Amino acid sequence: MPFDYRRAPDPEGAVAAATGWPGVAFLAGGTNLVDHMKLGLAAPDVLVDISRLPLDTVAELPDGGLRIGATVRNADLAAHPVVRRDYPVLARALLSGASGQIRNLATTGGNLLQRTRCVYFQDLTTPCNKREPGTGCSAIGGYTRHHAILGASAHCVATHPSDMAVAMAALDAQVAVLGPAGRRVVPLVELHRLPGEEPHRDTVLSPSDLITSVDLPPLPPGTRSQYRKVRDRASFAFALVSVAAVLRVEDGVVRDARIALGGVAHKPWRARRAEDVLLGSPADEEVFRRAIDAELAGAAPLEGNGFKVPLTRNLAVSALRELSREER
Amino acid sequence: MTDLLRTRVLGQSPRRVDGPAKVTGTARYAGDQHVVDPAYAHLVQAEAARGVVTGVDVSAARAVDGVLAVLTPDDAPRLASTEDAELAAFQSHDVAFRGQVVAAVIASTREVAREAAALVRVEIDRQPHDAHLGTDRDDLYAPEKVNTGAETDTSRGDVATALAHSPFTLDQTYTTAWYNNNPMEPHTTTALWLDGDLALYESTQGVHTTREAMAKVFGLDPERVHVIAPHVGGGFGSKGTPHVHTVIAAMAARAVPGTPVKLALTRQQMFSLVGYRTPTIQRVRLGCDAAGRLASLEVDAVSQTSRIKEFAEQTAVPARMMYAAPNRRTTHRLAALDVPVPSWMRAPGECPGMFGPEVAMDELANACGIDPVEFRVRNEPDVEPESGKPFSSRNLVACLREGARRFGWEHRDPTPRARVESGWFVGTGVAASTYPVNRTPGSAATIRCTGPRRYLVRIGAADLGTGTWTSLAQVAADALGVDFADVELRIGDTASPKASVAGGSSGITSWGSTVVAAAEAFREEFGDDPAEGDEAGAEMPGNDAGDTYAMHAFGAQFAEVRVHVDTGEVRVPRLLGVFAVGRVVNPRLARSQLVGGMTMGLSMALHEHSVPDERFGHVVNHDFAEYHIATNSDVPHVEAHWVEEHDPHTNPMGTKGIGEIGIVGTAAAIVNAAHHATGVRVRDLPVTLDHFL
Amino acid sequence: MDGEIELRVDGRRRRLRVDTRTTLLDALRDGIGANAPKKGCDHGQCGACTVLLDGRRAITCLTFAVAHDGTEVTTAEGLADGERLHPVQEAFLERDALQCGFCTPGQVCSAIGVLDEAAAGHPSVVTEDLTGPVELTDDEIRERMSGNLCRCGAYVAIVDAVRDGAR
């Protein structure tokens, strides 16, 4: 469908343009939105281009953390010296997503708001509750290789495809949002929703909310982090399962553990149950295994993706093992 | 016996003639050709796998500014021939598969065509469809013949008794997936009618085959159809037979007289409209003695075809000529389903058909405790087992030995799951390759002297990336006894004499033989010092040697496979192939062909898998994000070598064809290596990580 | 709905009117006749449409032309200086790092981007030390070139060509 194109004068102007107009969409890197417009999944009347807004910088915060502008390109964020030095989990997550020529376009905000790659969601000819509420979920009983094993509902079993968001979930990132009512901060782990009965709602944001930046809190000295991703080919593919792990071990005891899982749920899955087991426990393989098993006790795989349970377990244990080894 | 061409340019490695245009992006493919003010067509596809179109509402589409015409089954013009049901666009209201084209919008821009196509409302009276392939069906049938005209079933001796008396036996079922050819260039047609003549810029493996098909469909004298395809962005079989979009592009251009129409299929549409490799189910039964000599060999192959047009993959055919066994039997059965029309994909028959048997050979070799290279050598036949013909040349053993030497096979410990390096199980495997020497009749060529020692060679051949622009010019140079630079080759245009389709690895055999005959005719008529403007031509001569000899190329492929201990991730750090393919025209380009085939074989082994959802009847992972082909990272090290092979029987060049053999056997070698690495025997492709968790 | 934009394509200034829906890829191909970038998938999944945008490699099929007013676009055609090929293009020819050639213009542009990114010290996912300088090993080239699919299977030669082109 034809649409009008406008360049946002400033963030406030972008939000004002979208407020009360459901047909307005923000355009940044475009790598997901343009795809959706071609597929017929999205048909905005007006595109408000925010890509040239001054939200494209990465700044070090007084507390030692990092503020990442919403339109910072994925490639630039991954190449940023502080990210590479202090947040390897984030750098690796970014670099394991998409391809070099896509990361040069894709932005921080857009990456967070990308939608599921469920084949039925992307195919207008098959029923999908996320695309058309009430039509049914075609993935259930269908091709489920990329679908959820945690937190899904009878209405939707889609997964969130981002790698970056998984790392940010483990880093306790905070998302700054500018909305019609002003500014607010949403913890990244609360940004995305579980599908429940409203799978058409991916996040807690409203269409006129604009992500302006993402803050990363500083990591205490001695903290190690890493991102591991398993996919069906060696590169340029979405995760079957990924693990972002942040670990601090002192004298053989886990003092901080933050684990997020990708490819397994409708949102980056923060593995709180596993973290509870890990905290204060000895950093050994048996504990790692027990921790992940506690998390996966709630797993409900579908026919066709049961392999994700052992895969997640093995990958997470392996990631923790490596991080604790580095510590020694 | 043919007198082989004396070689000067043959065997040299000139760079690709079309290379500079391709690395700068100035080579013109079907969608790049400049035409004045074109219109654009966009297709509307059926959203049901079976039914009848009861209404097509085009009012909303027509109302869009810029829409020029809409074609539907209600009002599209009648075609002169509907004999090929796949090409009978809009000629009936029946829907035979999901994704069948039910309307087309022609508009002044791409954007408008796409927008309006989405507004066409198609009502289909849906009928229950059946898209399930399985050996559990009770309606599997034996086709009259299989692809290439081979017999459907064959039998020699008494397999049941031989199997019962064999100390070592194997009875396993292997499956290959549904694969889509997916050349990088989506099928594209630019069509224009001029005074009743049809001109097509086309993505095709054969300009003349396209011409003949379109002439028939539109009831035209073939001379009135002009097809141009100087560069083709890959085909792998999917551009070898005509498909419906070409017909629709021509119909669309007729609907907007005087305006050229561009029609490019979307990547998604390619999954239902341009053929694909059928999934296969192969039951393999082998019996051998303690020395590893096969007494019995059986392959029963089941595959699918569409309800409207039969395609019978010749899956069991390679088992008829690979190994010696006094008792043998092969069968082919088909399920006719409500699915898109399957067709050729790189090495139809041999590619899927060498998977099951070559894995089975590995399994049986292991069971006997015999090295799998040696096991194959012991089953080397003296003559082609089923026909009894001698081979014109057969150097499988040489390939196995040379490959084993280069790969470092001799130090291999056969114990499975015995090596772990840095968290990866490591294993190696081997499998054999083969492909027939095909010769397709129907080509002609002309040669004209265009100046002192300058020759123009014309033949309507094709270069899909195969290297024809270069290699056929090399053949011409040696045939004329001149330098490579003295030959100008003209191909990819029906203005040049008729040539057979680029398929079956038959290009150099067919076109090369024709060019050599034309050069002989030219020299006979005009001698070594012709005048400018002298021209002679010839048609492809026959070759009786095929009555006497069985002609096949052979190869051996070795793979190293790593499987991650924790995650099951599968990697192929090394592939090595040695081939016996007759004389090699251009080593630089030949290596690309063989390595390219092996790379596609690796892709098939690890990644490729079109997922048909039987509930809907279509492939649901229909794009490059979900239908994975290998990326650069998946292909660390592939090398191809060849043994010297002198075969005086195949053709004057002594070649055998190299476009397809590279993909044959690769998947089996990888599966065998994965078993060696892990002890897990995968019999269903692709070899994904979940097999090892 | 239309928009007016100005691009600099392979060194030439081009003004054109585009439908807001027109992707940069279609604007280059249909609007300007710059046919080097190819449409292999139209959904950012193959890399055949890769060009250099203001010097950085980028796909052109998932971005609207109207958003690129003032952008400098370099296609594979613009990398050559007339008959004289860019060293990377020369290496692709010598190594026969192509067959059908359809993905090649995108591969070549991507390779230029890879060389620049590595020279700037940008890591890839296979870079062991994220903070150090980048050595462009074959593993690095493979990973960095993985956004460009090649169905003919020229990857091994492409890695050779990129390595040669880096010299």
Side-chain angles (χ1 to χ4, degrees):
Chain A
M1 295 298 127
F3 59 84
D4 196 6
Y5 169 87
R6 293 176 206 161
R7 200 164 281 169
D10 48 44
E12 291 74 16
V15 172
T19 304
W21 297 95
V24 174
F26 299 132
L27 174 71
T31 55
N32 197 216
L33 179 60
V34 178
D35 187 17
H36 283 187
M37 291 171 72
K38 288 186 191 182
L39 290 169
L41 287 170
D45 304 320
V46 179
L47 281 190
V48 174
D49 186 348
I50 57 164
S51 65
R52 301 193 191 203
L53 293 181
L55 302 172
D56 60 345
T57 54
V58 180
E60 293 181 64
L61 297 171
D63 68 354
L66 213 54
R67 176 159 296 167
I68 303 158
T71 62
V72 172
R73 309 284 167 172
N74 287 176
D76 294 336
L77 183 56
H80 194 277
V82 175
V83 174
R84 283 153 64 183
R85 188 191 64 207
D86 295 347
Y87 302 97
V89 62
L90 178 57
R92 291 225 186 261
L94 283 159
L95 293 169
S96 70
S99 67
Q101 54 267 59
I102 291 175
R103 295 193 293 269
N104 274 338
L105 293 172
T107 62
T108 309
N111 189 316
L112 289 176
L113 296 180
Q114 66 180 307
R115 308 199 70 189
T116 183
R117 260 59 180 192
C118 172
V119 295
Y120 302 100
F121 169 70
Q122 296 189 96
D123 183 344
L124 291 186
T125 75
T126 54
C128 169
N129 286 325
K130 185 180 275 297
R131 198 180 64 240
E132 280 181 83
T135 55
C137 173
S138 297
I140 296 172
Y143 178 52
T144 58
R145 192 166 181 80
H146 292 275
H147 290 77
I149 57 170
L150 289 163
S153 75
H155 305 281
C156 181
V157 293
T159 49
H160 194 263
S162 171
D163 293 297
M164 183 196 79
V166 179
M168 287 183 170
L171 290 169
D172 284 323
Q174 305 290 312
V175 181
V177 177
L178 181 65
R183 296 184 183 277
R184 68 187 196 277
V185 172
V186 181
L188 191 131
V189 292
E190 290 169 23
L191 178 70
H192 301 93
R193 300 177 64 259
L194 288 178
E197 295 189 354
E198 294 181 304
H200 59 285
R201 293 178 54 215
D202 291 352
T203 70
V204 298
L205 303 188
S206 77
S208 48
D209 284 334
L210 179 71
I211 294 177
T212 54
S213 62
V214 178
D215 284 3
L216 302 182
L219 291 175
T223 309
R224 310 264 170 182
S225 73
Q226 99 140 281
Y227 189 74
R228 291 276 302 271
K229 175 178 181 178
V230 172
R231 40 188 159 177
D232 268 333
R233 63 182 176 192
S235 187
F236 199 20
F238 294 101
L240 288 169
V241 170
S242 69
V243 175
V246 177
L247 193 71
R248 185 161 52 88
V249 179
E250 284 169 10
D251 302 326
V253 176
V254 177
R255 292 301 172 197
D256 186 8
R258 289 178 265 162
I259 298 168
L261 306 174
V264 295
H266 197 257
K267 58 183 291 186
W269 186 268
R270 187 67 186 262
R272 303 277 188 199
R273 290 182 196 175
E275 293 171 14
D276 288 346
V277 174
L278 289 169
L279 275 177
S281 299
D284 63 38
E285 178 114 5
E286 190 274 327
V287 171
F288 298 156
R289 205 162 284 282
R290 195 150 44 81
I292 300 303
D293 283 345
E295 193 66 45
L296 291 172
L302 303 157
E303 191 181 332
N305 73 4
F307 70 91
K308 283 188 170 186
V309 177
L311 178 58
T312 306
R313 177 188 298 121
N314 294 354
L315 188 66
V317 169
S318 157
L320 291 170
R321 192 196 297 138
E322 273 179 47
L323 283 176
S324 62
R325 246 186 229 151
E326 280 177 33
E327 186 53 31
R328 274 168 206 149
Chain B
M1 170 118 109
T2 322
D3 282 335
L4 284 191
L5 208 56
R6 188 180 304 225
T7 59
R8 276 186 339 115
V9 182
L10 243 66
Q12 302 297 309
S13 282
R15 293 171 170 191
R16 233 168 249 276
V17 170
D18 46 334
K22 285 180 170 175
V23 297
T24 53
T26 52
R28 303 238 164 194
Y29 299 82
D32 303 336
Q33 300 281 0
H34 182 71
V35 289
V36 179
D37 292 333
Y40 297 86
H42 198 87
L43 306 179
V44 180
Q45 296 177 277
E47 295 180 12
R50 186 167 185 160
V52 176
V53 175
T54 54
V56 185
D57 180 356
V58 300
S59 53
R62 278 192 195 281
V64 179
D65 194 29
V67 170
L68 305 172
V70 184
L71 296 169
T72 76
D74 291 339
D75 51 15
R78 297 300 93 187
L79 296 170
S81 169
T82 56
E83 193 183 309
D84 184 337
E86 186 187 349
L87 302 183
F90 313 125
Q91 300 301 292
S92 108
H93 287 72
D94 290 342
V95 173
F97 60 91
R98 193 173 174 114
Q100 180 181 320
V101 182
V102 288
V105 175
I106 303 113
S108 54
T109 70
R110 280 184 204 282
E111 293 76 20
V112 170
R114 187 185 273 254
E115 173 192 352
L119 295 172
V120 174
R121 291 282 157 263
V122 181
E123 293 297 325
I124 297 176
D125 180 15
R126 289 172 182 249
Q127 296 160 359
H129 69 265
D130 184 351
H132 168 72
L133 174 66
T135 49
D136 52 343
R137 298 186 68 96
D138 59 10
D139 60 351
L140 296 174
Y141 74 97
E144 219 166 275
K145 295 273 182 187
V146 292
N147 185 41
T148 70
E151 296 297 322
T152 302
D153 296 347
T154 59
S155 181
R156 305 277 183 282
D158 179 355
V159 286
T161 306
L163 196 64
H165 288 93
S166 292
F168 293 93
T169 61
L170 169 136
D171 181 354
Q172 292 291 354
T173 298
Y174 305 87
T175 65
T176 58
W178 176 324
Y179 305 103
N180 284 81
N181 311 55
N182 272 318
M184 290 310 297
E185 179 204 24
H187 297 58
T188 301
T189 306
T190 302
L192 175 66
W193 291 87
L194 273 177
D195 302 329
D197 283 14
L198 175 62
L200 300 168
Y201 291 115
E202 177 75 355
S203 321
T204 177
Q205 295 175 216
V207 287
H208 286 277
T209 41
T210 300
R211 162 190 266 184
E212 277 157 31
M214 292 307 115
K216 186 170 183 184
V217 166
F218 289 99
L220 298 169
D221 181 334
E223 293 297 315
R224 307 200 68 174
V225 181
H226 190 181
V227 184
I228 303 172
H231 304 291
V232 183
F236 313 110
S238 71
K239 294 169 183 169
T241 58
H243 299 296
V244 72
H245 62 278
T246 311
V247 175
I248 296 173
M251 292 173 96
R254 209 172 225 180
V256 288
T259 302
V261 171
K262 289 191 168 191
L263 194 171
L265 293 186
T266 64
R267 181 59 56 184
Q268 289 87 341
Q269 288 166 346
M270 290 167 67
F271 282 79
S272 46
L273 295 176
V274 294
Y276 59 95
R277 196 197 300 283
T278 169
T280 71
I281 304 166
Q282 311 167 23
R283 182 174 180 190
V284 181
R285 276 172 284 190
L286 303 175
C288 71
D289 63 19
R293 286 192 189 82
L294 291 173
S296 178
L297 187 161
E298 290 172 84
V299 177
D300 297 300
V302 174
S303 61
Q304 74 186 32
T305 184
S306 75
R307 195 160 52 81
I308 54 165
K309 180 176 171 180
E310 184 184 275
F311 179 82
E313 181 94 16
Q314 73 274 31
T315 311
V317 163
R320 294 172 183 171
M321 47 63 63
M322 252 338 259
Y323 298 112
N327 305 285
R328 48 203 309 138
R329 197 178 69 88
T330 60
T331 67
H332 293 90
R333 295 294 177 268
L334 286 179
L337 306 176
D338 300 308
V339 294
V341 183
S343 183
W344 304 338
M345 180 165 163
R346 201 173 199 169
E350 277 73 20
C351 174
M354 286 289 279
F355 174 67
E358 284 300 304
V359 177
M361 290 293 280
D362 195 68
E363 295 200 53
L364 193 59
N366 287 354
C368 300
I370 298 173
D371 176 80
V373 169
E374 182 59 27
F375 189 75
R376 286 173 172 83
V377 173
R378 288 185 193 182
N379 287 290
E380 182 71 2
D382 299 327
V383 294
E384 192 180 52
E386 292 206 358
S387 72
K389 289 182 190 175
F391 290 97
S392 63
S393 58
R394 177 174 167 123
N395 283 301
L396 173 60
V397 172
C399 293
L400 285 163
R401 298 266 190 246
E402 175 67 3
R405 185 186 70 76
R406 287 178 176 273
F407 192 77
W409 185 262
E410 61 176 331
H411 304 298
R412 180 181 189 258
D413 169 5
T415 321
R417 208 181 179 90
R419 285 147 305 277
V420 177
E421 289 174 20
S422 313
W424 295 79
F425 292 116
V426 183
T428 53
V430 63
S433 310
T434 190
Y435 198 77
V437 180
N438 287 320
R439 182 184 186 89
T440 314
S443 294
T446 61
I447 295 178
R448 174 201 282 265
C449 176
T450 56
R453 285 186 70 81
R454 295 285 303 159
Y455 298 88
L456 173 66
V457 179
R458 301 192 312 146
I459 177 168
D463 189 330
L464 332 171
T466 43
T468 313
W469 277 113
T470 314
S471 55
L472 195 54
Q474 289 179 263
V475 171
D478 276 352
L480 287 163
V482 301
D483 290 342
F484 182 60
D486 294 334
V487 173
E488 183 192 342
L489 180 71
R490 211 167 282 172
I491 60 171
D493 193 323
T494 48
S496 292
K498 186 177 166 185
S500 55
V501 68
S505 300
S506 67
I508 289 297
T509 294
S510 308
W511 310 327
S513 300
T514 308
V515 166
V516 169
E520 282 166 3
F522 184 91
R523 288 298 184 217
E524 197 159 305
E525 197 172 340
F526 304 111
D528 288 339
D529 192 19
E532 189 174 328
D534 286 350
E535 179 171 315
E539 298 193 347
M540 186 178 84
N543 180 8
D544 298 339
D547 301 337
T548 315
Y549 294 102
M551 299 185 191
H552 303 270
F554 292 91
Q557 300 199 26
F558 295 78
E560 178 185 330
V561 166
R562 294 185 175 231
V563 177
H564 197 273
V565 171
D566 290 328
T567 62
E569 289 162 288
V570 189
R571 300 282 187 266
V572 182
R574 193 154 72 106
L575 266 184
L576 185 149
V578 177
F579 299 91
V581 288
R583 197 184 260 164
V584 169
V585 173
N586 181 323
R588 184 196 307 262
L589 272 53
R591 184 162 284 114
S592 292
Q593 282 278 85
L594 294 168
V595 167
M598 293 167 72
T599 301
M600 199 185 268
L602 184 158
S603 184
M604 166 190 181
L606 298 194
H607 308 301
E608 293 183 41
H609 183 202
S610 299
V611 180
D613 189 323
E614 288 177 12
R615 300 168 305 170
F616 301 109
H618 71 307
V619 170
V620 291
N621 59 336
H622 51 195
D623 61 29
F624 270 147
E626 297 291 333
Y627 182 95
H628 284 176
I629 65 169
T631 66
N632 203 318
S633 289
D634 294 291
V635 189
H637 192 90
V638 181
E639 51 184 301
H641 305 273
W642 44 86
V643 296
E644 285 295 314
E645 184 170 70
H646 180 80
D647 190 325
H649 304 294
T650 57
N651 58 49
M653 292 75 62
T655 63
K656 285 186 166 178
I658 54 169
E660 288 163 277
I661 190 168
I663 197 177
V664 179
T666 320
I670 289 171
V671 157
N672 296 340
H675 173 264
H676 184 231
T678 62
V680 176
R681 180 62 71 177
V682 176
R683 300 190 182 88
D684 305 292
L685 291 177
V687 189
T688 45
L689 58 88
D690 38 304
H691 286 101
F692 305 102
L693 283 169
Chain C
M1 277 167 250
D2 290 355
E4 184 102 13
I5 58 166
E6 185 175 298
L7 302 172
R8 205 174 166 80
V9 180
D10 293 335
R12 286 177 63 193
R13 231 167 54 173
R14 315 297 291 252
R15 273 204 93 67
L16 66 161
R17 259 203 107 59
V18 289
D19 188 316
T20 52
R21 291 171 293 184
T22 304
T23 60
L24 182 57
L25 175 61
D26 284 337
L28 290 170
R29 290 177 54 80
D30 299 339
I32 294 173
N35 282 305
K38 303 295 185 209
K39 190 183 288 186
C41 73
D42 212 19
H43 289 273
Q45 301 162 353
C46 79
C49 65
T50 302
V51 302
L52 301 173
L53 289 187
D54 293 329
R56 299 172 62 157
R57 59 177 172 153
I59 54 166
T60 51
C61 68
L62 291 185
T63 189
F64 290 121
V66 72
H68 287 279
D69 188 25
T71 301
E72 167 109 35
V73 181
T74 306
T75 74
E77 189 174 358
L79 289 171
D81 181 7
E83 296 281 293
R84 216 175 65 227
L85 300 177
H86 186 283
V88 167
Q89 291 172 318
E90 188 66 31
F92 267 68
L93 260 189
E94 179 60 25
R95 293 289 194 164
D96 204 39
L98 66 143
Q99 292 176 51
C100 83
F102 197 77
C103 73
T104 311
Q107 300 273 4
V108 167
C109 288
S110 201
I112 307 283
V114 166
L115 299 182
D116 290 349
E117 290 158 19
H122 295 184
S124 83
V125 75
V126 301
T127 309
E128 222 149 277
D129 176 6
L130 290 176
T131 57
V134 170
E135 187 195 346
L136 208 49
T137 61
D138 286 0
D139 269 352
E140 287 279 2
I141 295 172
R142 280 191 276 272
E143 161 57 24
R144 290 164 191 262
M145 290 297 294
S146 282
N148 293 81
L149 302 183
C150 168
R151 188 56 160 159
C152 297
Y155 293 132
V156 173
I158 288 169
V159 173
D160 291 338
V162 176
R163 193 196 311 113
D164 290 354
R167 291 203 184 112

